[in-house]
Amino acid sequence: EYDPNGSSKLAYKYYQMSLILVPSIGMPLNQLGTLYGSENYGCDATYYYLYCLSCTEPFNSARENLKLLFVKNRNRFEETKLK
């Protein structure tokens, strides 16, 4: 998240590898959602958070992260509507 030189690509790779090893745990999906939270108006993050919540062992913070993402997009929509 802090390195503009491409560390997010490395993080993505390791989170994907962890999903291959243990696909029932949702934590890597939550982290991917956080990693891609600002791309495509949050659509990528929404996918990862929902996927995380559907796992056998969901990561509980994904629900709150998803709510925050929806609030952020609602506020963005309201600002656009006012303009």
Side-chain angles (χ1 to χ4, degrees), residues 16-33:
Q16 289 293 337
M17 289 170 55
S18 68
L19 287 171
I20 292 168
L21 291 173
V22 188
S24 62
I25 296 177
M27 190 277 294
L29 293 163
N30 179 71
Q31 297 306 103
L32 286 166

Side-chain angles (χ1 to χ4, degrees), residues 12-74:
Y12 178 81
K13 175 184 169 184
Y14 285 122
Y15 288 133
Q16 289 293 337
M17 289 170 55
S18 68
L19 287 171
I20 292 168
L21 291 173
V22 188
S24 62
I25 296 177
M27 190 277 294
L29 293 163
N30 179 71
Q31 297 306 103
L32 286 166
T34 302
L35 194 61
Y36 291 102
S38 61
E39 294 190 19
N40 296 322
Y41 301 102
C43 290
D44 294 346
T46 301
Y47 167 78
Y48 286 118
Y49 292 143
L50 289 173
Y51 189 6
C52 172
L53 292 171
S54 69
C55 286
T56 307
E57 298 177 43
F59 191 72
N60 292 331
S61 295
R63 184 178 311 278
E64 288 303 314
N65 291 339
L66 188 60
K67 286 179 186 178
L68 290 172
L69 185 64
F70 287 157
V71 167
K72 180 181 173 182
N73 280 337
R74 183 181 65 216

